[in-house]
Amino acid sequence: MELVHCIYCSASTKVVKPTDLATLLAECREKNSKAGLTGMLLYSERTFFQVLERDRPVVEALLEKLTLDKRHARVTKILLEPIEQRSFAQWSMGYSKITKKELADIPGLNDFFAQGRSYMELGEGRAKALLSAFKEGAWRLSLS
Ligand SMILES: Cc1cc2nc3c(=O)[nH]c(=O)nc-3n(C[C@H](O)[C@H](O)[C@H](O)COP(=O)(O)O)c2cc1C
């Protein structure tokens, strides 16, 4: 089986309240634990950034379901590529409360967020820089 990761962004269809987020995370964690999926999720100013890790068919099937979910729209795949090992093996869906202000200081993002831009405009290079900050950088400890 080919292990892959996928990074995508999407726009929430309404303002996500802390209780909505808690419900979403609980749902993701339960389903992902059963499906052997791992990854991380960020939410900032009505946009989501998510990393998903698992065998290609499982990730592709989830992406199809995700695009039908009315809680978000404009599901935009940034990358889907083979990986040697998972970055978030211990997280059925790690979540960090990183703020837009904090995002602006992540190395490799080149003040991207300081310019008021959102996850939707990230592109592959910056998406990988963001993943790295949570994989091995200062932000890893913030994942819960
Ligand atoms: C931002 C966002 C992230 C999501 N992440 C996941 C996820 O990691 N795993 C998952 O199973 N469902 C996730 N969902 C829910 C799916 O869109 C969908 O509701 C769910 O997979 C339906 O599963 P079922 O058809 O097996 O009941 C997410 C939904 C949103 C809005």
Side-chain angles (χ1 to χ4, degrees):
M1 274 292 182
E2 186 188 19
L3 185 65
V4 299
H5 68 181
C6 173
I7 304 179
Y8 80 87
C9 295
S10 62
S12 65
T13 40
K14 59 172 194 153
V15 175
V16 178
K17 289 183 270 164
T19 49
D20 300 327
L21 203 50
T23 305
L24 176 65
L25 276 173
E27 178 192 342
C28 294
R29 286 170 176 163
E30 195 193 331
K31 287 185 193 292
N32 291 356
S33 296
K34 286 186 188 145
L37 275 149
T38 52
M40 59 166 269
L41 178 73
L42 302 177
Y43 175 75
S44 167
E45 300 187 3
R46 294 192 66 158
T47 56
F48 292 105
F49 172 96
Q50 192 172 27
V51 181
L52 297 164
E53 303 170 327
R54 184 57 160 116
D55 303 334
R56 185 182 287 271
V58 180
V59 171
E60 285 178 346
L62 177 56
L63 272 177
E64 274 189 32
K65 273 200 246 177
L66 278 165
T67 55
L68 302 174
D69 196 315
K70 297 273 190 298
R71 286 170 287 187
H72 62 178
R74 290 164 58 208
V75 174
T76 307
K77 187 162 72 179
I78 297 177
L79 64 86
L80 196 163
E81 62 182 11
I83 47 173
E84 301 222 327
Q85 58 185 40
R86 299 178 192 237
S87 300
F88 304 102
Q90 297 134 298
W91 284 275
S92 55
M93 192 45 60
Y95 177 75
S96 167
K97 283 187 180 153
I98 191 168
T99 63
K100 209 165 175 191
K101 197 161 168 286
E102 291 161 333
L103 282 167
D105 292 331
I106 290 183
L109 294 182
N110 301 327
D111 289 339
F112 179 78
F113 289 102
Q115 297 159 23
R117 296 163 81 183
S118 84
Y119 292 133
M120 296 297 289
E121 304 167 274
L122 267 179
E124 188 170 330
R126 291 193 193 91
K128 282 186 172 172
L130 190 49
L131 185 151
S132 291
F134 286 91
K135 179 183 175 184
E136 61 222 2
W139 283 97
R140 187 161 185 86
L141 290 175
S142 77
L143 285 179
S144 61

